[in-house]
Amino acid sequence: MKIKIINRSHHPLPSYGTFEAAGMDTRAYLPEGSVTLKPGQRALIPTGLYMQLPSGYECQVRPRSGLALNYGITVLNSPGTIDADYRGEIGIILINLGQEDFTVNDGDRIAQMVIKTYTRVEWEPVTELDRTKREDGAFGHTGTK
């Protein structure tokens, strides 16, 4: 699938790290300097990217596992959704859940993008739902063993 993209940064386009990777590494575009996130602090990090997704597709923005594990850096609204009709600059909301300050530099790989199809639904109001074995069993109802 081809997707139209404008790259106003001087960095490579988002790219797959390996042949079977689902997510494309996406870089920070910080021409005016680095951004330091203190523990608990969040910031919108620009990418310099603008895209035109086909109708029926979204771009999900997800954390990078290494940043999450090693530094506590994650995407705050994970997964973030970029809708097919959005044409503005792609920004990544990062939050520092770690114990130390974390500096985001121009060109750092800060998130992954995954292009996905979605289904639009129509609600069908009813008074009862089909029965299941689980019924209304919620969080942790199956235990840990």
Side-chain angles (χ1 to χ4, degrees):
M1 165 187 295
K2 292 190 177 193
I3 295 177
K4 293 178 181 180
I5 190 165
I6 296 171
N7 184 359
R8 294 200 173 134
S9 81
H10 51 271
H11 304 300
L13 290 173
S15 61
Y16 300 102
T18 64
F19 178 75
E20 293 184 328
M24 295 173 276
D25 289 334
T26 305
R27 298 175 185 275
Y29 176 52
L30 299 168
E32 296 178 19
S34 301
V35 172
T36 298
L37 297 171
K38 296 190 176 305
Q41 188 177 16
R42 64 187 178 272
L44 180 63
I45 307 297
T47 65
L49 302 173
Y50 303 73
M51 71 173 75
Q52 180 179 325
L53 294 167
S55 182
Y57 288 83
E58 66 165 326
C59 176
Q60 294 182 356
V61 178
R62 301 178 183 180
R64 295 193 69 236
S65 57
L67 289 179
L69 176 63
N70 297 324
Y71 305 102
I73 302 300
T74 190
V75 175
L76 187 57
N77 61 328
S78 181
T81 295
I82 302 166
D83 294 308
D85 58 353
Y86 179 67
R87 295 295 185 270
E89 181 178 9
I90 306 303
I92 312 294
I93 305 169
L94 292 183
I95 187 166
N96 182 353
L97 299 176
Q99 308 291 323
E100 308 289 330
D101 289 0
F102 182 83
T103 300
V104 180
N105 298 300
D106 184 48
D108 284 353
R109 293 177 297 152
I110 57 170
Q112 297 184 77
M113 291 182 172
V114 177
I115 308 299
K116 301 285 292 178
T117 60
Y118 63 86
T119 302
R120 290 188 54 94
V121 302
E122 291 183 30
W123 295 112
E124 180 184 349
V126 297
T127 57
E128 291 184 18
L129 301 175
D130 295 344
R131 307 278 321 227
T132 67
K133 183 177 179 183
R134 180 176 181 178
E135 292 297 331
D136 63 354
F139 305 102
H141 82 281
T142 60
T144 59
K145 304 269 183 217

